[in-house]
PDB file of all heavy atoms in Angstrom:
ATOM      1  N   ASP A 545     -48.807  27.731-120.819  1.00  0.00           N
ATOM      2  CA  ASP A 545     -48.432  29.143-120.822  1.00  0.00           C
ATOM      3  C   ASP A 545     -47.244  29.426-121.715  1.00  0.00           C
ATOM      4  O   ASP A 545     -46.627  30.477-121.681  1.00  0.00           O
ATOM      5  CB  ASP A 545     -48.084  29.601-119.378  1.00  0.00           C
ATOM      6  CG  ASP A 545     -47.012  28.724-118.750  1.00  0.00           C
ATOM      7  OD1 ASP A 545     -46.473  27.858-119.437  1.00  0.00           O
ATOM      8  OD2 ASP A 545     -46.685  28.985-117.573  1.00  0.00           O
ATOM      9  N   CYS A 546     -46.870  28.475-122.591  1.00  0.00           N
ATOM     10  CA  CYS A 546     -45.732  28.676-123.496  1.00  0.00           C
ATOM     11  C   CYS A 546     -46.038  29.827-124.444  1.00  0.00           C
ATOM     12  O   CYS A 546     -47.049  29.790-125.152  1.00  0.00           O
ATOM     13  CB  CYS A 546     -45.415  27.425-124.247  1.00  0.00           C
ATOM     14  SG  CYS A 546     -44.194  27.666-125.545  1.00  0.00           S
ATOM     15  N   GLU A 547     -45.143  30.800-124.462  1.00  0.00           N
ATOM     16  CA  GLU A 547     -45.417  31.972-125.283  1.00  0.00           C
ATOM     17  C   GLU A 547     -45.321  31.662-126.778  1.00  0.00           C
ATOM     18  O   GLU A 547     -46.144  32.120-127.567  1.00  0.00           O
ATOM     19  CB  GLU A 547     -44.436  33.068-124.931  1.00  0.00           C
ATOM     20  CG  GLU A 547     -44.718  33.633-123.552  1.00  0.00           C
ATOM     21  CD  GLU A 547     -43.897  34.870-123.265  1.00  0.00           C
ATOM     22  OE1 GLU A 547     -43.090  35.258-124.083  1.00  0.00           O
ATOM     23  OE2 GLU A 547     -44.082  35.392-122.160  1.00  0.00           O
ATOM     24  N   SER A 548     -44.355  30.832-127.159  1.00  0.00           N
ATOM     25  CA  SER A 548     -44.237  30.588-128.590  1.00  0.00           C
ATOM     26  C   SER A 548     -45.392  29.758-129.071  1.00  0.00           C
ATOM     27  O   SER A 548     -45.875  29.895-130.208  1.00  0.00           O
ATOM     28  CB  SER A 548     -42.880  30.028-128.964  1.00  0.00           C
ATOM     29  OG  SER A 548     -42.694  28.801-128.323  1.00  0.00           O
ATOM     30  N   ALA A 549     -45.931  28.886-128.209  1.00  0.00           N
ATOM     31  CA  ALA A 549     -47.098  28.094-128.624  1.00  0.00           C
ATOM     32  C   ALA A 549     -48.310  29.006-128.791  1.00  0.00           C
ATOM     33  O   ALA A 549     -49.058  28.867-129.742  1.00  0.00           O
ATOM     34  CB  ALA A 549     -47.378  27.037-127.588  1.00  0.00           C
ATOM     35  N   ASN A 550     -48.432  29.935-127.873  1.00  0.00           N
ATOM     36  CA  ASN A 550     -49.590  30.849-127.958  1.00  0.00           C
ATOM     37  C   ASN A 550     -49.530  31.820-129.117  1.00  0.00           C
ATOM     38  O   ASN A 550     -50.505  32.377-129.576  1.00  0.00           O
ATOM     39  CB  ASN A 550     -49.786  31.590-126.644  1.00  0.00           C
ATOM     40  CG  ASN A 550     -50.218  30.642-125.547  1.00  0.00           C
ATOM     41  OD1 ASN A 550     -50.929  29.688-125.800  1.00  0.00           O
ATOM     42  ND2 ASN A 550     -49.775  30.891-124.345  1.00  0.00           N
ATOM     43  N   GLU A 551     -48.281  32.003-129.607  1.00  0.00           N
ATOM     44  CA  GLU A 551     -48.095  32.845-130.807  1.00  0.00           C
ATOM     45  C   GLU A 551     -48.499  32.083-132.065  1.00  0.00           C
ATOM     46  O   GLU A 551     -48.769  32.648-133.101  1.00  0.00           O
ATOM     47  CB  GLU A 551     -46.601  33.242-130.962  1.00  0.00           C
ATOM     48  CG  GLU A 551     -46.194  34.352-130.032  1.00  0.00           C
ATOM     49  CD  GLU A 551     -46.154  35.651-130.794  1.00  0.00           C
ATOM     50  OE1 GLU A 551     -45.339  35.814-131.714  1.00  0.00           O
ATOM     51  OE2 GLU A 551     -47.016  36.514-130.483  1.00  0.00           O
ATOM     52  N   THR A 552     -48.429  30.761-131.997  1.00  0.00           N
ATOM     53  CA  THR A 552     -48.700  29.914-133.132  1.00  0.00           C
ATOM     54  C   THR A 552     -50.137  30.037-133.591  1.00  0.00           C
ATOM     55  O   THR A 552     -51.045  29.922-132.772  1.00  0.00           O
ATOM     56  CB  THR A 552     -48.362  28.443-132.814  1.00  0.00           C
ATOM     57  OG1 THR A 552     -47.140  28.397-132.180  1.00  0.00           O
ATOM     58  CG2 THR A 552     -48.375  27.582-134.086  1.00  0.00           C
ATOM     59  N   THR A 553     -50.346  30.228-134.873  1.00  0.00           N
ATOM     60  CA  THR A 553     -51.736  30.269-135.332  1.00  0.00           C
ATOM     61  C   THR A 553     -51.892  29.220-136.439  1.00  0.00           C
ATOM     62  O   THR A 553     -50.930  28.755-137.014  1.00  0.00           O
ATOM     63  CB  THR A 553     -52.070  31.649-135.920  1.00  0.00           C
ATOM     64  OG1 THR A 553     -51.053  32.003-136.823  1.00  0.00           O
ATOM     65  CG2 THR A 553     -52.202  32.695-134.836  1.00  0.00           C
ATOM     66  N   GLY A 554     -53.100  28.880-136.724  1.00  0.00           N
ATOM     67  CA  GLY A 554     -53.403  28.032-137.865  1.00  0.00           C
ATOM     68  C   GLY A 554     -53.220  26.547-137.613  1.00  0.00           C
ATOM     69  O   GLY A 554     -53.510  25.709-138.433  1.00  0.00           O
ATOM     70  N   ARG A 555     -52.692  26.167-136.420  1.00  0.00           N
ATOM     71  CA  ARG A 555     -52.580  24.760-136.132  1.00  0.00           C
ATOM     72  C   ARG A 555     -53.689  24.304-135.214  1.00  0.00           C
ATOM     73  O   ARG A 555     -54.139  25.077-134.373  1.00  0.00           O
ATOM     74  CB  ARG A 555     -51.241  24.472-135.456  1.00  0.00           C
ATOM     75  CG  ARG A 555     -50.105  24.443-136.428  1.00  0.00           C
ATOM     76  CD  ARG A 555     -49.037  23.602-135.880  1.00  0.00           C
ATOM     77  NE  ARG A 555     -47.735  24.283-135.972  1.00  0.00           N
ATOM     78  CZ  ARG A 555     -46.673  23.923-135.236  1.00  0.00           C
ATOM     79  NH1 ARG A 555     -46.766  22.990-134.326  1.00  0.00           N
ATOM     80  NH2 ARG A 555     -45.555  24.527-135.417  1.00  0.00           N
ATOM     81  N   LYS A 556     -54.108  23.091-135.375  1.00  0.00           N
ATOM     82  CA  LYS A 556     -55.210  22.605-134.554  1.00  0.00           C
ATOM     83  C   LYS A 556     -54.754  22.359-133.132  1.00  0.00           C
ATOM     84  O   LYS A 556     -53.729  21.695-132.911  1.00  0.00           O
ATOM     85  CB  LYS A 556     -55.768  21.341-135.202  1.00  0.00           C
ATOM     86  CG  LYS A 556     -57.057  20.855-134.568  1.00  0.00           C
ATOM     87  CD  LYS A 556     -57.663  19.707-135.355  1.00  0.00           C
ATOM     88  CE  LYS A 556     -58.979  19.271-134.882  1.00  0.00           C
ATOM     89  NZ  LYS A 556     -59.106  18.515-133.675  1.00  0.00           N
TER      90      LYS A 556
END
Side-chain angles (χ1 to χ4, degrees):
D545 58 3
C546 171
E547 291 188 358
S548 60
N550 291 328
E551 280 262 295
T552 312
T553 49
R555 281 205 228 161
K556 188 171 186 287

